[in-house]
Amino acid sequence: MSTCSTVSRELDEPIAGTAATARTWLLLEQPGPWGAKALTSSHLDPALGRALEAAAKGTGVRIALIRRPGRHADCGTPATRQVYAAHTAPGDAWLHSAAVDDPRALLDLDFAALGQGEHRTFGAALAGRPHTGGPLALVCTNGKRDRCCALLGRPLAAELAASGVEGVWEVTHLGGHRFSPTLLVLPYGYAYGRAQAHAVKEVLSGVQEGRIVLEGCRGSSAWERPGQAAELAVRAAVHEYGADALRVAATSGAAPRWQVTVAHVDGRRWSVEVAQGASLPPRPESCGTSILGSPARMEVVVVHELTTTALAS
């Protein structure tokens, strides 16, 4: 059976620069089945889902539903739900958690402040506290959006949980179904594709040490896609794996060509030229559609380290 993920893998489609964009993630536990648009098609009150979507729009906050790995029979509304908020900006990344009895409490959050990395609103509205456990591994398993996420994501989440990996959750949507199984790791917000359990364990071990694993990495959700590709290219070029070492300082231009400035905490800077290409041949970008398309791909043309003279001019 041919799926969007098998075709993408066979074509060796590049994976860098394909992560979902979100400076801040807000995750709400919602057991039971999920529909394609989970916030309004799950056992969460759809009116609340619409209100949360409206509150988060344009703030840099991306909301997703999460559930424990395993069977998803409806066992009724949980008395207490887990909630996480994570900000992914390098040097200011944080992960906080809370438990709520009524998910409507999330509407008391200041979403604009949360998107800017201000965690006090999470503490004030939900009695949230800094997360004391290890990193979170969020595996996309929403088969209603794309069957690859269920066929490949659910077994990965189950294998990780069964092997004792802490912090594993199923999540509703991370984008890029054709790279299934897809994974987001918090607090740093790096996404991975075509993930396997042994590689995920290496990624999580790296996060514990403040280190980023580049293999299979789609990019950091803190940046737009040209910035994601540029940052990963600089990491590869100079063998820099520190999670907080690099940031995207500036991006100019527009599709299909950008100039991205990547800055190191030690003062070094690089100019990275990124071009948008098309992944050929035309094909459905997801198993959820029959429409032929050519997925956009981020191609790094050149990585040039800027000298002190160039920076001063």
Side-chain angles (χ1 to χ4, degrees):
M1 178 180 65
S2 180
T3 63
C4 65
S5 61
T6 57
V7 172
S8 176
R9 192 184 298 268
E10 288 167 358
L11 293 172
D12 197 23
E13 182 182 353
I15 207 167
T18 64
T21 301
R23 298 278 281 183
T24 301
W25 291 84
L26 181 63
L27 309 170
L28 170 63
E29 183 179 4
Q30 177 57 57
W34 297 332
K37 295 183 178 180
L39 273 179
T40 53
S41 56
S42 68
H43 289 180
L44 183 71
D45 178 0
L48 172 59
R50 286 191 292 271
L52 288 170
E53 285 180 335
K57 187 175 182 180
T59 65
V61 177
R62 183 171 175 132
I63 305 174
L65 301 183
I66 57 175
R67 64 192 176 196
R68 301 285 185 181
R71 299 185 63 186
H72 305 129
D74 181 17
C75 299
T77 301
T80 303
R81 301 168 190 250
Q82 187 67 44
V83 184
Y84 294 102
H87 189 61
T88 61
D92 189 31
W94 51 260
L95 174 61
H96 286 212
S97 64
V100 299
D101 296 327
D102 185 348
R104 287 176 294 184
L106 273 66
L107 292 175
D108 295 331
L109 291 167
D110 182 338
F111 281 83
L114 202 60
Q116 291 298 314
E118 176 53 71
H119 55 69
R120 281 181 293 184
T121 179
F122 191 75
L126 306 180
R129 295 289 185 271
H131 177 61
T132 56
L136 301 186
L138 309 171
V139 182
C140 185
T141 63
N142 191 350
K144 294 295 185 182
R145 289 197 71 99
D146 191 289
R147 60 182 173 176
C148 289
C149 296
L151 292 172
L152 301 174
R154 288 192 64 189
L156 174 63
E159 181 181 354
L160 289 169
S163 65
V165 177
E166 297 181 358
V168 179
W169 292 84
E170 297 188 8
V171 68
T172 46
H173 183 48
L174 298 177
H177 319 291
R178 64 192 185 278
F179 303 121
S180 294
T182 60
L183 174 86
L184 178 75
V185 178
L186 296 176
Y188 297 125
Y190 282 82
Y192 291 83
R194 302 176 186 143
Q196 296 181 339
H198 67 88
V200 174
K201 292 175 183 178
E202 182 182 345
V203 167
L204 295 176
S205 176
V207 170
Q208 294 274 34
E209 301 168 359
R211 177 173 50 83
I212 301 303
V213 172
L214 297 188
E215 186 175 358
C217 190
R218 300 174 61 195
S220 166
S221 72
W223 317 123
E224 298 292 335
R225 292 183 177 182
Q228 294 172 15
E231 186 226 13
L232 291 179
V234 171
R235 285 188 179 280
V238 301
H239 307 290
E240 176 56 76
Y241 309 109
D244 290 327
L246 298 178
R247 64 182 176 88
V248 174
T251 303
S252 61
R257 216 164 193 86
W258 300 266
Q259 289 293 139
V260 182
T261 302
V262 177
H264 196 288
V265 290
D266 66 9
R268 287 179 292 164
R269 291 193 168 218
W270 295 264
S271 177
V272 184
E273 185 175 342
V274 181
Q276 179 176 300
S279 293
L280 299 174
R283 62 193 187 280
E285 296 184 31
S286 165
C287 293
T289 180
S290 59
I291 300 173
L292 295 180
S294 298
R297 56 195 284 176
M298 295 293 118
E299 300 173 347
V300 172
V301 179
V302 64
V303 176
H304 174 65
E305 184 170 359
L306 300 172
T307 64
T308 304
T309 302
L311 289 169
S313 62

